[in-house]
Amino acid sequence: MPDGASRSAIGADVPDTRKRIVVGVGGGIAAYKSCALIRDFTEAGHKVRVVPTESALEFVGRATFEALSGNPVQTGVFTDVPQVPHVRLGQEADLVVVAPATADLLARAVMGRADDLLTATLLTARCPVVFAPAMHTEMWEHPATVANVATLRARGVTVVEPASGRLTGKDTGAGRLPEPEEIAGLATLLLERPDALPRDLEGRRVLVSAGGTREPLDPVRFLGNRSSGKQGYAIARLAAQRGAEVILVSGYTAGLDEPAAVETVHVRTAEDMKVAVDKEAGRCDVVVMAAAVADFRPSTSVTSKIKKGAGEPDAIALTKNPDILAGVVQARRDGEIPASTLVVGFAAETGDADGDVLTYARAKLRRKGCDLLVVNAVGEGKAFEVDHNDGWLLSADGSESALEHGSKALMASRVLDAVSAALDPAGGE
Ligand code: CTP
């Protein structure tokens, strides 16, 4: 059987699309989270080799890593010598993910040390390499670590921004390992697109709205929509990982975790969202309105539950909500926010007898006055509540490009490419 092919149940040769992923584990308390990461990769069908440092084994036992990956686990370069693992693992890998990466491990990688299997693997890897650091805030902010991170990034390595929050002891701050699902998502994006995480948004402030608003009728009922928030959260997450300072104004989502290194503000109604967006928009280089804002709200919202009663129900009277996106564009026209603020809108369209998706989208771009419009065709299981998406990107200068089908993270990376290209080069760092 040729290399890279496997035999299916019916005997035909089918291409083996499974990727070889090396998961490096550093010696920190967050090593336990690598177990969930390994499981995410194996469940996605990838071939996983776990390479812990000796000190990582102080936190999680070798047997756990072997059981989760289905492969033997070693830490040194003198085990299994005929297989030359210290060279082969790195050479053959499609992706190396180090999680958690301790301050010591980052320093050893910068120095090009090769005194254990993990550092030797890092030296021989020619695939995308991702470090997900986890350490105390003081260590993360120390000039030595800051310089090491900068060096690794300059070499083309992805060093994930850590989350903020509760650390090992009672202290809180930047340095928490992002959730395994988030690391897996970023790593998988690099498998789809190795250049998806440049640091091109450093020094920029980006506001992203996401999720759906809920417009209350009474204390238990509301008018809402099917937005999961996934696309907006993916944009916020990636913008932060591309170096931006990100404010995420979030309505209701399908239970999504707050992205690492993002300031998340939770809102309920369209009016709340407008207040939150208007407060921050003037301080941002980019405003991305990915939220599904309810166009209407019940004209009256009562404080006690509406009873069914004996007769027919009353019709619900509706009032139009403010158009938040149009408001930001107007504020820019009026000089209330800088003229350089880039405004990105979203449009979910179905098309009908009077026009197709793109015809409606072009009209919406003109009507809203934004700089870029991300267009999704919806209906028939597309766009809402699913993990994959496709669409078009329309620009106010008349250019149009197709957004190829892929994960919402891949879509987010394409949208941010367009944002990055359209930003005023005088801003940022
Ligand atoms: N939007 C907004 N405020 C609203 C409604 C929509 O800011 N009250 C934003 C959305 O976040 C999105 C864009 O406007 O970026 C387009 O939303 P969409 O619902 O497609 O547009 P509408 O103006 O509501 O047009 P339609 O008649 O197609 O519903």
Side-chain angles (χ1 to χ4, degrees), residues 285-287 325 328-329 332 337 341-345 369-372:
D285 301 285
V286 188
V287 175
L325 178 65
V328 173
V329 171
R332 187 175 63 174
I337 66 173
T341 312
L342 191 77
V343 184
V344 184
C370 51
D371 305 297
L372 293 168

Side-chain angles (χ1 to χ4, degrees), residues 289-291 293-295 322-325 345-349 364 367-368:
M289 280 297 300
V293 186
D295 288 327
D323 189 317
I324 304 169
L325 178 65
F346 269 69
E349 300 287 346
K364 188 167 285 181
R367 198 169 68 240
K368 297 266 182 180

Side-chain angles (χ1 to χ4, degrees), residues 249-329:
V249 179
S250 175
Y252 292 84
T253 69
L256 302 181
D257 288 328
E258 291 183 4
V262 166
E263 182 191 334
T264 306
V265 178
H266 293 277
V267 296
R268 297 163 193 269
T269 64
E271 287 176 299
D272 294 346
M273 185 171 275
K274 180 171 171 56
V275 170
V277 169
D278 287 351
K279 182 168 165 247
E280 296 291 345
R283 297 196 296 137
C284 292
D285 301 285
V286 188
V287 175
V288 181
M289 280 297 300
V293 186
D295 288 327
F296 311 102
R297 65 178 181 276
S299 302
T300 51
S301 168
V302 292
T303 51
S304 49
K305 188 181 167 197
I306 300 166
K307 295 292 180 199
K308 183 159 56 185
E312 286 304 304
D314 291 336
I316 300 172
L318 297 173
T319 301
K320 237 183 188 167
N321 270 328
D323 189 317
I324 304 169
L325 178 65
V328 173
V329 171

Side-chain angles (χ1 to χ4, degrees), residues 28-236:
I29 186 81
Y32 76 93
K33 286 193 184 175
S34 68
C35 298
L37 180 65
I38 295 160
R39 173 118 75 190
D40 273 357
F41 287 141
T42 53
E43 281 186 355
H46 301 306
K47 294 183 260 190
V48 178
R49 288 295 301 262
V50 183
V51 186
T53 60
E54 259 313 302
S55 45
L57 294 182
E58 298 282 338
F59 294 91
V60 179
R62 187 188 304 268
T64 302
F65 290 138
E66 292 191 335
L68 286 173
S69 66
N71 276 310
V73 166
Q74 58 212 42
T75 58
V77 293
F78 293 111
T79 317
D80 205 11
V81 171
Q83 300 294 322
V84 212
H86 71 289
V87 177
R88 269 193 43 213
L89 278 179
Q91 280 177 340
E92 293 177 358
D94 296 302
L95 180 70
V96 178
V97 184
V98 184
T102 58
D104 178 65
L105 198 45
L106 293 172
R108 291 200 294 136
V110 166
M111 293 296 291
R113 299 291 295 267
D115 49 0
D116 62 8
L117 187 55
L118 179 51
T119 46
T121 301
L122 288 168
L123 275 186
T124 52
R126 293 294 175 270
C127 58
V129 174
V130 181
F131 282 86
M135 63 196 76
H136 276 87
T137 309
E138 291 82 353
M139 288 180 155
W140 175 245
E141 290 176 350
H142 191 282
T145 308
V146 170
N148 288 337
V149 169
T151 302
L152 289 169
R153 284 179 175 156
R155 290 178 191 161
V157 169
T158 297
V159 183
V160 171
E161 291 292 337
S164 286
R166 184 86 189 267
L167 301 169
T168 323
K170 287 196 173 133
D171 43 352
T172 58
R176 254 172 76 93
L177 190 72
E179 291 311 309
E181 207 183 11
E182 182 157 15
I183 300 171
L186 293 168
T188 310
L189 172 64
L190 292 177
L191 284 174
E192 277 185 282
R193 192 184 162 203
D195 61 347
L197 292 172
R199 300 284 301 179
D200 56 349
L201 296 176
E202 263 171 16
R204 305 290 191 175
R205 274 174 75 90
V206 177
L207 185 152
V208 181
S209 73
T213 64
R214 285 184 184 174
E215 312 300 321
L217 202 52
D218 69 12
V220 293
R221 304 180 181 95
F222 57 83
L223 293 182
N225 59 63
R226 288 173 52 195
S227 171
S228 67
K230 286 180 180 172
Q231 188 62 74
Y233 270 54
I235 291 175

